[in-house]
Amino acid sequence: MSKKETTPLYKKVIDDLKSMMDKGEFKKGDLLPSENELCKTYNTTRVTIRQALSDLTNMGYITRRHGKGSIVSEPKKGLGILSLHGVTAGVGDQTLITSILQKPVQQSWPSGFPYEISQEEQEAGCMFFTRLRIINDKPVLFEETYITNRNLPGFLALDLENRSLFKTLNDQYQVEIKEGEQQIWAIHGNKNISKLLDIKTNHPIVHMKRRLQTNVPELNIYSFVYCNTQEYFLQDYF
């Protein structure tokens, strides 16, 4: 059976409408066909069409106004940073610059660390650094990273500027991400975070805490990410 035959109809509606907007057949400010018209075009129900329009709204392609319909907006671009493949793999063909703000340093785990640290990790300590990820000349992600200081000789001397952390760990130490957990909130950025992301203080941002387990026992990666989603939305595929 082909992939096309197994694709849910609402996704086909999304793909078709996105394609027409990307090609300029529907421009910013244009009204999309009504729900009734789309039902007839795709020979389907309102439930299917509304699911497609809801997803397009979440992607930033359209806004929906009661009594008027679906209006084409300036679409945002997706960042696939929710997966365990990392930011570098999630930005696609967009231009990514990784700036190291705090170079890696060896230290003890900070007091009040939000994750439970094993006795082995406590004794090993951690390596801490911060990065600012700039996409298409706009600061989008600020990330604080803690890595268990275990079986990573020479890590502090590595140049991580414009390099993928996960690929570096794999190439240099054969460390691979096996599984993880992440928690996500919407918060108001404080003065320092807002300045780094070039947004107004207290503007809403996405905050994510991640704990990633590797193939090396008691070697974990912890990251605290602050994301400006004014021009991007977060996405992943399952």
Side-chain angles (χ1 to χ4, degrees):
M1 184 176 292
S2 69
K3 182 178 179 180
K4 184 175 180 180
E5 291 172 329
T6 60
T7 300
L9 182 54
Y10 82 92
K11 289 190 175 181
K12 174 173 171 51
V13 177
I14 292 172
D15 290 343
D16 287 353
L17 293 176
K18 278 177 58 180
S19 177
M20 286 187 278
M21 286 184 274
D22 290 339
K23 291 177 181 177
E25 295 177 29
F26 290 119
K27 296 180 176 61
K28 182 178 179 180
D30 288 349
L31 274 173
L32 290 185
S34 68
E35 290 183 4
N36 284 337
E37 291 172 317
L38 290 171
C39 286
K40 292 177 182 178
T41 298
Y42 291 93
N43 191 27
T44 188
T45 64
R46 278 181 175 269
V47 172
T48 297
I49 296 302
R50 285 176 176 172
Q51 185 173 2
L53 294 177
S54 177
D55 282 7
L56 285 170
T57 301
N58 293 335
M59 293 177 187
Y61 272 88
I62 64 173
T63 57
R64 304 185 71 189
R65 295 183 185 174
H66 182 70
K68 192 166 186 180
S70 301
I71 303 171
V72 178
S73 58
E74 194 72 45
K76 295 183 178 182
K77 295 181 179 180
L79 299 178
I81 67 169
L82 299 181
S83 73
L84 300 185
H85 300 293
V87 174
T88 303
V91 299
D93 59 0
Q94 301 173 80
T95 302
L96 171 67
I97 296 175
T98 299
S99 177
I100 306 300
L101 302 185
Q102 165 65 65
K103 292 183 178 180
V105 293
Q106 184 176 336
Q107 64 178 46
S108 300
W109 296 95
S111 60
F113 198 69
Y115 286 98
E116 183 177 350
I117 304 297
S118 69
Q119 184 63 37
E120 290 84 351
E121 286 185 281
Q122 286 281 8
E123 294 174 356
C126 66
M127 290 176 288
F128 169 74
F129 57 96
T130 65
R131 298 179 290 177
L132 182 66
R133 323 305 287 273
I134 301 167
I135 301 174
N136 296 337
D137 298 322
K138 295 184 181 297
V140 176
L141 295 164
F142 172 65
E143 183 175 18
E144 302 170 317
T145 302
Y146 297 82
I147 304 178
T148 311
N149 184 21
R150 188 178 180 86
N151 300 323
L152 299 175
F155 182 85
L156 297 179
L158 293 178
D159 180 10
L160 298 176
E161 197 87 6
N162 293 320
R163 296 181 65 185
S164 164
L165 172 62
F166 293 173
K167 187 175 188 305
T168 299
L169 289 173
N170 193 299
D171 292 345
Q172 297 286 331
Y173 306 101
Q174 291 73 57
V175 172
E176 298 179 1
I177 307 301
K178 304 302 292 184
E179 59 182 285
E181 60 177 298
Q182 53 193 9
Q183 302 167 332
I184 302 172
W185 295 266
I187 66 171
H188 293 288
N190 62 30
K191 184 177 180 179
N192 292 333
I193 298 296
S194 298
K195 183 177 180 180
L196 287 170
L197 295 178
D198 193 24
I199 57 176
K200 294 181 179 179
T201 302
N202 288 326
H203 188 281
I205 58 176
V206 172
H207 177 41
M208 179 164 59
K209 296 180 181 179
R210 309 178 86 185
R211 179 189 184 201
L212 304 177
Q213 295 174 276
T214 72
N215 59 324
V216 178
E218 305 302 330
L219 196 167
N220 296 313
I221 302 171
Y222 304 87
S223 62
F224 305 93
V225 181
Y226 302 85
C227 181
N228 172 14
T229 58
Q230 285 183 318
E231 296 193 18
Y232 298 88
F233 59 88
L234 306 184
Q235 70 177 18
D236 200 4
Y237 297 95
F238 302 91

